[in-house]
Amino acid sequence: MAFFTTSDDRRLYYTDTGSGTPVLCLAGLTRNSRDFSFLAPHITDLRMITMDYRGRGQSEFDPDFMNYNVLRESHDAIELLDHLGLDRVAVLGTSRGGLIAMALAASHPERLSAVVLTDVGPVIETSGMAKIMDYVGRQPVAKTYDEAAQSLQQVMEPHFPGVPLCRWRQQAEIQYEQTEDGLALRYDPALRKALLDQAAAGAIPDMWMFFEALHDIPTGVIRGANSDVLGKDTLTEMHKRHPGLISVEVPDRGHVPFLDESQSLELIRKVLDAA
């Protein structure tokens, strides 16, 4: 197990496997390093680096939950790169990780060789944000991974038709921790309060400004065809503002694709080849 300590004395978990082109994989809002386990077998020729954000996965919780924000998390990512002695990396950012990637483009563009945004853009659809706020910080009702898998399949089927129960069982293990009392979140429940308080304080930056900082960086977007977070109109506008942008829609996927789909893998390779 590998950890590093941030400049504000938080102990964060990371993984660093393989060799070749370094790719920093940044997970979603409530997710963790294990979220890239479906992708990992397909990029064994690359150096795959993941990070559990503060308060997620195996990283230390932050006593000040307001530090659960994109700018602080992007600073943590830079400190991880410094810890590893890496000048430049490609970034694969899923959902929240994509927002962090855009923030990095605005603050440290020289550190980015390429960026892939997975089902996220400068605008989060209202319906998607409502769904996110409905579950963030709420402990799972399911007591076992099998129960959670069945629940996930039922809830996600409209946006992920045909995904077998065994995949949802794997996803349940990624998202939840088994305890004596049942399943528990793999993140600090205070993340919910952070989102609410930051929104109330008007602390959400203009992400279009951050996205436009990607202009000179090879960039790709993976969109789930059934996504309720990254809208088609937003993706169209992203292409207008970044003429070199390439994108793909993954059929039968919502928010977010698993990244082992053929369309996802092809786009990731294209963007990395352009770096």
Side-chain angles (χ1 to χ4, degrees), residues 4 8 17 20 37 53 58 65 67 70 72 90 92 95 107 128 140 164 172 180 197 207 223 227 236-237 247 253 266:
F4 75 103
D8 64 343
T17 59
S37 58
Y53 310 135
Q58 299 182 66
F65 60 78
N67 283 329
V70 168
R72 178 66 245 190
L92 174 54
S95 195
S107 63
E180 292 182 359
D197 286 8
M207 295 308 299
R223 179 181 184 270
S227 177
T236 297
E237 183 65 22
S247 66
R253 294 291 184 266
E266 183 179 354

mmCIF file of all heavy atoms in Angstrom, residues 4 8 17 20 37 53 58 65 67 70 72 90 92 95 107 128 140 164 172 180 197 207 223 227 236-237 247 253 266:
data_model
loop_
_atom_site.group_PDB
_atom_site.id
_atom_site.type_symbol
_atom_site.label_atom_id
_atom_site.label_comp_id
_atom_site.label_asym_id
_atom_site.label_seq_id
_atom_site.Cartn_x
_atom_site.Cartn_y
_atom_site.Cartn_z
ATOM 1 N N PHE A 4 1.041 9.130 0.368
ATOM 2 C CA PHE A 4 1.887 10.314 0.447
ATOM 3 C C PHE A 4 1.166 11.335 1.313
ATOM 4 O O PHE A 4 -0.040 11.230 1.546
ATOM 5 C CB PHE A 4 2.202 10.879 -0.948
ATOM 6 C CG PHE A 4 1.050 11.610 -1.598
ATOM 7 C CD1 PHE A 4 1.021 13.001 -1.643
ATOM 8 C CD2 PHE A 4 -0.004 10.909 -2.179
ATOM 9 C CE1 PHE A 4 -0.037 13.679 -2.251
ATOM 10 C CE2 PHE A 4 -1.056 11.578 -2.792
ATOM 11 C CZ PHE A 4 -1.069 12.967 -2.825
ATOM 12 N N ASP A 8 -0.876 20.089 3.462
ATOM 13 C CA ASP A 8 -1.658 20.405 4.664
ATOM 14 C C ASP A 8 -1.812 19.183 5.567
ATOM 15 O O ASP A 8 -2.745 19.091 6.366
ATOM 16 C CB ASP A 8 -3.015 21.015 4.301
ATOM 17 C CG ASP A 8 -3.915 20.052 3.530
ATOM 18 O OD1 ASP A 8 -3.409 19.045 2.984
ATOM 19 O OD2 ASP A 8 -5.131 20.302 3.475
ATOM 20 N N THR A 17 1.294 1.408 -10.940
ATOM 21 C CA THR A 17 1.608 0.103 -11.511
ATOM 22 C C THR A 17 1.968 0.225 -12.985
ATOM 23 O O THR A 17 1.530 1.140 -13.678
ATOM 24 C CB THR A 17 0.413 -0.864 -11.373
ATOM 25 O OG1 THR A 17 -0.733 -0.301 -12.035
ATOM 26 C CG2 THR A 17 0.054 -1.098 -9.914
ATOM 27 N N GLY A 20 5.768 2.609 -18.937
ATOM 28 C CA GLY A 20 5.339 3.233 -20.184
ATOM 29 C C GLY A 20 4.776 4.609 -19.917
ATOM 30 O O GLY A 20 5.100 5.258 -18.914
ATOM 31 N N SER A 37 -10.727 -0.590 -12.137
ATOM 32 C CA SER A 37 -10.361 -2.007 -12.216
ATOM 33 C C SER A 37 -10.856 -2.674 -13.496
ATOM 34 O O SER A 37 -10.260 -3.655 -13.953
ATOM 35 C CB SER A 37 -10.909 -2.765 -10.996
ATOM 36 O OG SER A 37 -12.311 -2.631 -10.898
ATOM 37 N N TYR A 53 -9.029 10.460 -3.523
ATOM 38 C CA TYR A 53 -9.099 11.824 -3.009
ATOM 39 C C TYR A 53 -9.212 11.817 -1.488
ATOM 40 O O TYR A 53 -9.634 10.833 -0.883
ATOM 41 C CB TYR A 53 -10.334 12.549 -3.572
ATOM 42 C CG TYR A 53 -10.500 12.475 -5.054
ATOM 43 C CD1 TYR A 53 -11.738 12.189 -5.610
ATOM 44 C CD2 TYR A 53 -9.427 12.697 -5.913
ATOM 45 C CE1 TYR A 53 -11.921 12.128 -6.973
ATOM 46 C CE2 TYR A 53 -9.592 12.634 -7.284
ATOM 47 C CZ TYR A 53 -10.847 12.346 -7.819
ATOM 48 O OH TYR A 53 -11.019 12.276 -9.170
ATOM 49 N N GLN A 58 -9.153 4.754 0.705
ATOM 50 C CA GLN A 58 -8.224 4.510 1.804
ATOM 51 C C GLN A 58 -7.487 5.774 2.259
ATOM 52 O O GLN A 58 -6.582 5.699 3.089
ATOM 53 C CB GLN A 58 -7.218 3.433 1.396
ATOM 54 C CG GLN A 58 -7.872 2.097 1.076
ATOM 55 C CD GLN A 58 -6.862 1.030 0.720
ATOM 56 O OE1 GLN A 58 -6.062 0.616 1.556
ATOM 57 N NE2 GLN A 58 -6.885 0.565 -0.520
ATOM 58 N N PHE A 65 -14.434 19.645 6.119
ATOM 59 C CA PHE A 65 -15.056 19.063 4.924
ATOM 60 C C PHE A 65 -15.127 20.038 3.756
ATOM 61 O O PHE A 65 -15.303 19.630 2.615
ATOM 62 C CB PHE A 65 -16.458 18.527 5.250
ATOM 63 C CG PHE A 65 -17.433 19.553 5.758
ATOM 64 C CD1 PHE A 65 -18.052 20.438 4.888
ATOM 65 C CD2 PHE A 65 -17.742 19.623 7.101
ATOM 66 C CE1 PHE A 65 -18.950 21.385 5.344
ATOM 67 C CE2 PHE A 65 -18.644 20.562 7.576
ATOM 68 C CZ PHE A 65 -19.253 21.451 6.691
ATOM 69 N N ASN A 67 -12.735 21.338 2.447
ATOM 70 C CA ASN A 67 -11.592 21.010 1.592
ATOM 71 C C ASN A 67 -11.927 19.939 0.565
ATOM 72 O O ASN A 67 -11.079 19.608 -0.273
ATOM 73 C CB ASN A 67 -10.406 20.554 2.436
ATOM 74 C CG ASN A 67 -9.693 21.716 3.115
ATOM 75 O OD1 ASN A 67 -9.656 22.819 2.578
ATOM 76 N ND2 ASN A 67 -9.144 21.473 4.296
ATOM 77 N N VAL A 70 -12.941 20.830 -5.811
ATOM 78 C CA VAL A 70 -12.165 20.551 -7.022
ATOM 79 C C VAL A 70 -10.785 21.200 -6.981
ATOM 80 O O VAL A 70 -9.783 20.575 -7.378
ATOM 81 C CB VAL A 70 -12.947 20.998 -8.271
ATOM 82 C CG1 VAL A 70 -12.051 20.987 -9.509
ATOM 83 C CG2 VAL A 70 -14.154 20.095 -8.500
ATOM 84 N N ARG A 72 -8.871 22.112 -4.352
ATOM 85 C CA ARG A 72 -7.984 21.451 -3.392
ATOM 86 C C ARG A 72 -7.571 20.077 -3.908
ATOM 87 O O ARG A 72 -6.409 19.669 -3.782
ATOM 88 C CB ARG A 72 -8.696 21.320 -2.045
ATOM 89 C CG ARG A 72 -7.905 20.599 -0.958
ATOM 90 C CD ARG A 72 -6.656 21.359 -0.534
ATOM 91 N NE ARG A 72 -5.441 20.617 -0.871
ATOM 92 C CZ ARG A 72 -4.234 20.956 -0.458
ATOM 93 N NH1 ARG A 72 -4.060 22.024 0.308
ATOM 94 N NH2 ARG A 72 -3.170 20.253 -0.810
ATOM 95 N N ALA A 90 -0.591 12.004 -18.780
ATOM 96 C CA ALA A 90 -1.928 12.054 -19.355
ATOM 97 C C ALA A 90 -2.900 11.861 -18.198
ATOM 98 O O ALA A 90 -2.601 11.151 -17.231
ATOM 99 C CB ALA A 90 -2.107 10.946 -20.387
ATOM 100 N N LEU A 92 -6.798 10.767 -17.120
ATOM 101 C CA LEU A 92 -8.089 10.164 -17.438
ATOM 102 C C LEU A 92 -9.020 10.500 -16.288
ATOM 103 O O LEU A 92 -8.895 9.944 -15.188
ATOM 104 C CB LEU A 92 -7.944 8.649 -17.607
ATOM 105 C CG LEU A 92 -9.214 7.831 -17.814
ATOM 106 C CD1 LEU A 92 -10.032 8.363 -18.977
ATOM 107 C CD2 LEU A 92 -8.875 6.363 -18.026
ATOM 108 N N SER A 95 -15.991 11.854 -14.430
ATOM 109 C CA SER A 95 -16.921 12.696 -13.681
ATOM 110 C C SER A 95 -16.153 13.736 -12.865
ATOM 111 O O SER A 95 -15.524 14.616 -13.434
ATOM 112 C CB SER A 95 -17.822 11.806 -12.819
ATOM 113 O OG SER A 95 -18.938 12.511 -12.355
ATOM 114 N N SER A 107 -4.517 25.585 -14.212
ATOM 115 C CA SER A 107 -3.461 25.958 -13.257
ATOM 116 C C SER A 107 -2.076 25.437 -13.623
ATOM 117 O O SER A 107 -1.057 26.089 -13.354
ATOM 118 C CB SER A 107 -3.826 25.455 -11.851
ATOM 119 O OG SER A 107 -3.900 24.040 -11.821
ATOM 120 N N GLY A 128 -29.133 15.230 -13.649
ATOM 121 C CA GLY A 128 -28.009 14.451 -13.146
ATOM 122 C C GLY A 128 -27.556 14.925 -11.783
ATOM 123 O O GLY A 128 -27.262 14.121 -10.896
ATOM 124 N N PRO A 140 -25.865 2.917 2.521
ATOM 125 C CA PRO A 140 -26.628 1.934 1.746
ATOM 126 C C PRO A 140 -27.620 1.170 2.623
ATOM 127 O O PRO A 140 -27.326 0.866 3.785
ATOM 128 C CB PRO A 140 -25.554 1.010 1.175
ATOM 129 C CG PRO A 140 -24.386 1.165 2.105
ATOM 130 C CD PRO A 140 -24.426 2.587 2.575
ATOM 131 N N PRO A 164 -24.966 -7.496 -16.928
ATOM 132 C CA PRO A 164 -25.267 -8.664 -16.094
ATOM 133 C C PRO A 164 -25.095 -8.378 -14.607
ATOM 134 O O PRO A 164 -24.343 -7.482 -14.209
ATOM 135 C CB PRO A 164 -24.255 -9.709 -16.580
ATOM 136 C CG PRO A 164 -23.128 -8.918 -17.147
ATOM 137 C CD PRO A 164 -23.749 -7.693 -17.748
ATOM 138 N N ALA A 172 -20.603 -3.138 -6.741
ATOM 139 C CA ALA A 172 -20.976 -2.993 -5.334
ATOM 140 C C ALA A 172 -19.756 -3.108 -4.432
ATOM 141 O O ALA A 172 -19.618 -2.370 -3.445
ATOM 142 C CB ALA A 172 -22.020 -4.045 -4.958
ATOM 143 N N GLU A 180 -19.544 -5.516 9.976
ATOM 144 C CA GLU A 180 -20.375 -6.415 10.763
ATOM 145 C C GLU A 180 -21.835 -5.977 10.753
ATOM 146 O O GLU A 180 -22.743 -6.800 10.919
ATOM 147 C CB GLU A 180 -19.863 -6.466 12.212
ATOM 148 C CG GLU A 180 -18.500 -7.140 12.363
ATOM 149 C CD GLU A 180 -18.055 -7.203 13.811
ATOM 150 O OE1 GLU A 180 -18.812 -6.690 14.675
ATOM 151 O OE2 GLU A 180 -16.974 -7.764 14.079
ATOM 152 N N ASP A 197 -22.954 23.173 1.238
ATOM 153 C CA ASP A 197 -22.416 24.439 1.741
ATOM 154 C C ASP A 197 -21.679 25.207 0.652
ATOM 155 O O ASP A 197 -21.749 26.437 0.591
ATOM 156 C CB ASP A 197 -21.491 24.186 2.933
ATOM 157 C CG ASP A 197 -22.248 23.821 4.201
ATOM 158 O OD1 ASP A 197 -23.479 23.609 4.119
ATOM 159 O OD2 ASP A 197 -21.620 23.735 5.277
ATOM 160 N N MET A 207 -16.720 26.475 -15.003
ATOM 161 C CA MET A 207 -15.931 25.395 -15.576
ATOM 162 C C MET A 207 -15.658 25.597 -17.066
ATOM 163 O O MET A 207 -14.751 24.972 -17.605
ATOM 164 C CB MET A 207 -16.616 24.054 -15.340
ATOM 165 C CG MET A 207 -16.717 23.643 -13.865
ATOM 166 S SD MET A 207 -15.128 23.694 -12.963
ATOM 167 C CE MET A 207 -14.163 22.504 -13.877
ATOM 168 N N ARG A 223 -18.736 9.818 -23.737
ATOM 169 C CA ARG A 223 -20.083 10.098 -23.217
ATOM 170 C C ARG A 223 -20.931 8.842 -23.267
ATOM 171 O O ARG A 223 -20.978 8.150 -24.281
ATOM 172 C CB ARG A 223 -20.770 11.194 -24.027
ATOM 173 C CG ARG A 223 -22.189 11.504 -23.543
ATOM 174 C CD ARG A 223 -22.883 12.590 -24.370
ATOM 175 N NE ARG A 223 -24.174 12.894 -23.788
ATOM 176 C CZ ARG A 223 -25.316 12.266 -24.114
ATOM 177 N NH1 ARG A 223 -25.306 11.306 -25.034
ATOM 178 N NH2 ARG A 223 -26.456 12.580 -23.521
ATOM 179 N N SER A 227 -26.500 9.228 -20.839
ATOM 180 C CA SER A 227 -26.056 10.064 -19.726
ATOM 181 C C SER A 227 -27.066 11.146 -19.373
ATOM 182 O O SER A 227 -27.639 11.798 -20.253
ATOM 183 C CB SER A 227 -24.717 10.729 -20.057
ATOM 184 O OG SER A 227 -24.322 11.597 -19.017
ATOM 185 N N THR A 236 -21.712 19.367 -27.798
ATOM 186 C CA THR A 236 -21.623 20.134 -29.044
ATOM 187 C C THR A 236 -20.867 21.436 -28.822
ATOM 188 O O THR A 236 -20.001 21.820 -29.616
ATOM 189 C CB THR A 236 -23.030 20.432 -29.585
ATOM 190 O OG1 THR A 236 -23.686 19.201 -29.894
ATOM 191 C CG2 THR A 236 -22.965 21.284 -30.847
ATOM 192 N N GLU A 237 -21.177 22.131 -27.733
ATOM 193 C CA GLU A 237 -20.496 23.384 -27.422
ATOM 194 C C GLU A 237 -19.021 23.145 -27.103
ATOM 195 O O GLU A 237 -18.160 23.966 -27.452
ATOM 196 C CB GLU A 237 -21.196 24.074 -26.255
ATOM 197 C CG GLU A 237 -20.630 25.443 -25.877
ATOM 198 C CD GLU A 237 -20.799 26.490 -26.977
ATOM 199 O OE1 GLU A 237 -21.679 26.322 -27.844
ATOM 200 O OE2 GLU A 237 -20.030 27.473 -26.963
ATOM 201 N N SER A 247 -14.522 12.874 -29.639
ATOM 202 C CA SER A 247 -15.460 12.320 -28.669
ATOM 203 C C SER A 247 -16.098 11.061 -29.221
ATOM 204 O O SER A 247 -16.064 10.794 -30.429
ATOM 205 C CB SER A 247 -16.550 13.342 -28.318
ATOM 206 O OG SER A 247 -17.374 13.625 -29.438
ATOM 207 N N ARG A 253 -25.017 2.848 -22.197
ATOM 208 C CA ARG A 253 -24.317 3.288 -20.987
ATOM 209 C C ARG A 253 -24.854 4.657 -20.579
ATOM 210 O O ARG A 253 -25.117 5.521 -21.406
ATOM 211 C CB ARG A 253 -22.805 3.386 -21.214
ATOM 212 C CG ARG A 253 -22.133 2.050 -21.474
ATOM 213 C CD ARG A 253 -22.122 1.180 -20.227
ATOM 214 N NE ARG A 253 -21.406 -0.065 -20.424
ATOM 215 C CZ ARG A 253 -21.984 -1.219 -20.785
ATOM 216 N NH1 ARG A 253 -23.291 -1.266 -21.011
ATOM 217 N NH2 ARG A 253 -21.267 -2.322 -20.921
ATOM 218 N N GLU A 266 -10.924 2.606 -27.547
ATOM 219 C CA GLU A 266 -10.419 3.177 -28.803
ATOM 220 C C GLU A 266 -10.144 4.663 -28.642
ATOM 221 O O GLU A 266 -9.109 5.169 -29.091
ATOM 222 C CB GLU A 266 -11.425 2.942 -29.928
ATOM 223 C CG GLU A 266 -10.937 3.451 -31.277
ATOM 224 C CD GLU A 266 -11.933 3.184 -32.406
ATOM 225 O OE1 GLU A 266 -12.954 2.502 -32.162
ATOM 226 O OE2 GLU A 266 -11.688 3.667 -33.529
#
